[in-house]
Amino acid sequence: QLACPLDLGCHSVFQEDIFPDTASPESVMTADQYFEGKNGRPKMVSMRPGATSFSASAFVPKVAPKTPVAAAGASGSTDPKLPSDVPTLQKRVRELEARVAELEAKLAAAAIEKAAE
Protein backbone atom coordinates (compact mmCIF):
# COMPACT_ATOMS: atom_id res chain seq x y z
CA GLN A 1 0.00 0.00 0.00
CA LEU A 2 1.32 3.42 -0.93
CA ALA A 3 0.36 6.46 1.13
CA CYS A 4 0.70 9.90 -0.39
CA PRO A 5 0.00 12.63 2.13
CA LEU A 6 -1.37 15.84 0.62
CA ASP A 7 -1.10 19.19 2.29
CA LEU A 8 -4.60 20.51 1.68
CA GLY A 9 -4.22 23.09 4.42
CA CYS A 10 -2.20 25.44 2.22
CA HIS A 11 -4.76 27.65 0.46
CA SER A 12 -2.27 29.76 -1.48
CA VAL A 13 -1.09 26.93 -3.76
CA PHE A 14 -3.36 25.37 -6.39
CA GLN A 15 -2.32 21.87 -7.46
CA GLU A 16 -3.37 21.45 -11.09
CA ASP A 17 -2.24 17.81 -11.13
CA ILE A 18 -4.87 16.96 -8.50
CA PHE A 19 -7.60 19.18 -9.94
CA PRO A 20 -7.43 18.94 -13.75
CA ASP A 21 -9.62 21.00 -16.07
CA THR A 22 -13.22 19.83 -16.26
CA ALA A 23 -16.18 20.24 -18.62
CA SER A 24 -17.85 23.64 -18.60
CA PRO A 25 -21.61 23.97 -18.10
CA GLU A 26 -21.73 26.16 -21.22
CA SER A 27 -23.13 24.51 -24.33
CA VAL A 28 -20.90 24.01 -27.34
CA MET A 29 -23.71 23.79 -29.87
CA THR A 30 -27.29 24.86 -30.36
CA ALA A 31 -30.27 22.59 -29.86
CA ASP A 32 -30.78 22.53 -33.64
CA GLN A 33 -27.25 21.23 -34.13
CA TYR A 34 -27.82 18.56 -31.48
CA PHE A 35 -31.08 17.38 -33.09
CA GLU A 36 -29.31 17.24 -36.47
CA GLY A 37 -27.02 14.62 -34.91
CA LYS A 38 -23.91 16.73 -34.62
CA ASN A 39 -21.38 16.18 -31.82
CA GLY A 40 -19.05 18.57 -30.10
CA ARG A 41 -16.31 18.41 -27.53
CA PRO A 42 -17.15 20.13 -24.23
CA LYS A 43 -15.52 23.43 -23.34
CA MET A 44 -12.98 22.89 -20.60
CA VAL A 45 -12.54 25.16 -17.57
CA SER A 46 -9.99 25.34 -14.82
CA MET A 47 -10.86 24.16 -11.33
CA ARG A 48 -8.66 26.92 -9.89
CA PRO A 49 -10.78 28.94 -7.43
CA GLY A 50 -11.85 32.22 -9.02
CA ALA A 51 -10.58 31.27 -12.48
CA THR A 52 -14.05 31.13 -14.03
CA SER A 53 -17.52 32.30 -13.24
CA PHE A 54 -20.77 31.43 -14.94
CA SER A 55 -23.92 33.44 -15.29
CA ALA A 56 -27.41 31.98 -15.29
CA SER A 57 -27.54 32.58 -19.04
CA ALA A 58 -24.97 29.81 -19.50
CA PHE A 59 -27.72 27.29 -18.75
CA VAL A 60 -30.37 28.66 -21.15
CA PRO A 61 -30.65 26.90 -24.53
CA LYS A 62 -29.69 29.15 -27.43
CA VAL A 63 -32.33 27.91 -29.90
CA ALA A 64 -35.39 25.77 -29.33
CA PRO A 65 -35.74 22.66 -31.52
CA LYS A 66 -37.74 23.27 -34.70
CA THR A 67 -39.87 20.16 -34.28
CA PRO A 68 -40.80 18.97 -30.80
CA VAL A 69 -40.38 15.30 -30.08
CA ALA A 70 -43.81 13.74 -30.56
CA ALA A 71 -45.25 11.64 -27.77
CA ALA A 72 -45.56 7.96 -28.59
CA GLY A 73 -48.80 7.27 -30.39
CA ALA A 74 -49.61 10.91 -31.04
CA SER A 75 -51.14 11.84 -34.34
CA GLY A 76 -48.52 12.18 -37.00
CA SER A 77 -46.46 9.30 -35.63
CA THR A 78 -44.59 7.46 -38.36
CA ASP A 79 -44.30 4.18 -36.41
CA PRO A 80 -46.93 1.81 -37.89
CA LYS A 81 -46.93 -0.33 -34.71
CA LEU A 82 -48.30 2.51 -32.55
CA PRO A 83 -52.06 3.06 -32.42
CA SER A 84 -52.92 6.68 -33.08
CA ASP A 85 -56.25 6.97 -31.27
CA VAL A 86 -56.89 7.29 -27.54
CA PRO A 87 -59.77 4.73 -27.33
CA THR A 88 -57.49 2.01 -28.72
CA LEU A 89 -54.85 2.87 -26.15
CA GLN A 90 -57.40 2.91 -23.32
CA LYS A 91 -58.71 -0.49 -24.39
CA ARG A 92 -55.17 -1.88 -24.42
CA VAL A 93 -54.50 -0.51 -20.93
CA ARG A 94 -57.68 -2.22 -19.63
CA GLU A 95 -56.58 -5.52 -21.23
CA LEU A 96 -53.14 -5.30 -19.67
CA GLU A 97 -54.54 -4.37 -16.25
CA ALA A 98 -56.83 -7.42 -16.40
CA ARG A 99 -53.86 -9.61 -17.31
CA VAL A 100 -51.82 -8.21 -14.40
CA ALA A 101 -54.71 -8.89 -12.00
CA GLU A 102 -54.98 -12.46 -13.35
CA LEU A 103 -51.26 -13.10 -12.89
CA GLU A 104 -51.26 -11.56 -9.40
CA ALA A 105 -54.11 -13.89 -8.42
CA LYS A 106 -52.15 -16.89 -9.72
CA LEU A 107 -49.08 -15.78 -7.75
CA ALA A 108 -51.13 -15.36 -4.59
CA ALA A 109 -52.67 -18.82 -5.05
CA ALA A 110 -49.24 -20.35 -5.60
CA ALA A 111 -47.91 -18.63 -2.48
CA ILE A 112 -50.79 -20.01 -0.39
CA GLU A 113 -50.21 -23.52 -1.75
CA LYS A 114 -46.47 -23.21 -1.04
CA ALA A 115 -47.17 -22.05 2.51
CA ALA A 116 -49.55 -24.97 3.09
CA GLU A 117 -46.84 -27.52 2.21
Side-chain angles (χ1 to χ4, degrees), residues 93-104:
V93 167
R94 285 191 298 273
E95 291 169 355
L96 292 172
E97 287 174 340
R99 178 71 175 144
V100 167
E102 174 188 339
L103 293 172
E104 286 175 340

Side-chain angles (χ1 to χ4, degrees), residues 66-117:
K66 291 179 183 174
T67 56
V69 178
S75 62
S77 175
T78 58
D79 190 344
K81 296 180 279 185
L82 294 176
S84 61
D85 60 334
V86 173
T88 302
L89 295 171
Q90 290 173 333
K91 179 183 176 191
R92 182 68 177 144
V93 167
R94 285 191 298 273
E95 291 169 355
L96 292 172
E97 287 174 340
R99 178 71 175 144
V100 167
E102 174 188 339
L103 293 172
E104 286 175 340
K106 286 182 180 180
L107 282 172
I112 291 172
E113 290 175 9
K114 181 90 172 168
E117 292 176 2

Side-chain angles (χ1 to χ4, degrees), residues 21-103:
D21 289 352
T22 188
S24 167
E26 295 180 56
S27 63
V28 294
M29 67 180 74
T30 64
D32 286 336
Q33 291 170 328
Y34 175 79
F35 285 111
E36 290 171 0
K38 294 182 180 174
N39 292 316
R41 293 188 144 285
K43 293 179 183 178
M44 303 302 282
V45 295
S46 173
M47 294 291 291
R48 181 182 301 274
T52 57
S53 63
F54 302 101
S55 64
S57 64
F59 300 101
V60 178
K62 295 176 182 166
V63 178
K66 291 179 183 174
T67 56
V69 178
S75 62
S77 175
T78 58
D79 190 344
K81 296 180 279 185
L82 294 176
S84 61
D85 60 334
V86 173
T88 302
L89 295 171
Q90 290 173 333
K91 179 183 176 191
R92 182 68 177 144
V93 167
R94 285 191 298 273
E95 291 169 355
L96 292 172
E97 287 174 340
R99 178 71 175 144
V100 167
E102 174 188 339
L103 293 172

